[in-house]
Amino acid sequence: MDAPGPASDPDPDRAPPSDEDLRARLAAGDEAALGEVYDAYATLVHGLARRVTGDHEAARDVTQEVFAGLWERPLAFDPERGTLRGWLATLAHRRAVDWVRREVRRSRPPEEAPEPPDTAGPDEAVLAGELASGVKRSVNALPPPMRDVLELAYYRGMTYREVAAALGIPEGTAKSRIRGALARVGRLLEREGLVP
């Protein structure tokens, strides 16, 4: 796959397919589904990889790896845990950070190369701390019904079915509240500049 280009949708009035639909189609080997995902998210993945690596070729490689990984293992994405957009962005960030680490190790003479650290570096720790604080602020800013479903789903690890049972609400309501809450948290984090 080359560098991402603009997405083109032959029918702009048609609603985009859901993440669950795309996942099912990818699992069934539908190449058109991969094309749709690529058209929708390649610019995001490539841009994130480019920011992390600072290298256009590396960003292209990371982008290709991310979409090849999705094609090879579509069931690794779990729509109950988040959006396809967020999952792809996370993969892109991880792969880009891995690329940077490999380049740093490769550029050092062998006698200077330290043992790989067991923990994240100070920059990553600061970023992770800022992101964690931003997530906490965003979750606290949610209306109570949305906050409750997120706390059960993500802090207690419940599925949307378990959330529905715990709160005594229909499964569809639990699922839509989780999605709505995640979307709102994502928008708040974007406004703070903590996610692309």
Side-chain angles (χ1 to χ4, degrees), residues 81-93:
R81 304 296 274 170
T83 64
L84 182 56
R85 179 186 191 280
W87 187 76
L88 290 170
T90 300
L91 279 182
H93 184 265

Side-chain angles (χ1 to χ4, degrees), residues 16-24 41 77-86 139 142-143 145-151 153-154 158-161 163 169-188:
S18 69
D19 288 352
E20 291 91 347
D21 178 54
L22 287 169
R23 178 180 186 248
Y41 301 114
F77 164 62
D78 182 358
E80 291 184 20
R81 304 296 274 170
T83 64
L84 182 56
R85 179 186 191 280
V139 170
L142 293 172
M146 288 181 149
R147 187 172 53 241
D148 293 345
V149 296
L150 269 193
E151 287 175 351
Y154 286 88
M158 294 182 173
T159 67
Y160 74 91
R161 289 184 178 99
V163 169
I169 58 176
E171 289 180 7
T173 301
K175 197 172 187 180
S176 65
R177 281 187 192 168
I178 291 170
R179 282 177 177 252
L182 289 172
R184 190 175 288 190
V185 166
R187 285 192 299 272
L188 291 169

Side-chain angles (χ1 to χ4, degrees), residues 32-45:
L34 181 61
E36 290 174 38
V37 174
Y38 185 84
D39 287 345
Y41 301 114
T43 302
L44 166 75
V45 169

Side-chain angles (χ1 to χ4, degrees), residues 62-133:
V62 167
T63 301
Q64 186 171 353
E65 287 176 22
V66 166
F67 287 99
L70 174 63
W71 178 247
E72 291 166 3
R73 297 181 337 131
L75 298 180
F77 164 62
D78 182 358
E80 291 184 20
R81 304 296 274 170
T83 64
L84 182 56
R85 179 186 191 280
W87 187 76
L88 290 170
T90 300
L91 279 182
H93 184 265
R94 286 181 186 159
R95 299 223 177 180
V97 167
D98 289 345
W99 182 90
V100 170
R101 287 180 177 153
R102 281 193 307 269
E103 287 303 301
V104 167
R105 280 195 299 266
R106 210 175 294 167
S107 66
R108 286 189 183 140
E111 64 274 2
E112 291 182 27
E115 289 296 313
D118 292 335
T119 60
D123 291 344
E124 286 182 333
V126 169
L127 289 173
E130 287 178 14
L131 182 57
S133 296

Side-chain angles (χ1 to χ4, degrees), residues 40-63:
Y41 301 114
T43 302
L44 166 75
V45 169
H46 185 268
L48 181 58
R50 178 78 188 257
R51 276 196 300 278
V52 173
T53 64
D55 183 279
H56 177 70
E57 291 300 317
R60 277 185 31 181
D61 291 347
V62 167
T63 301

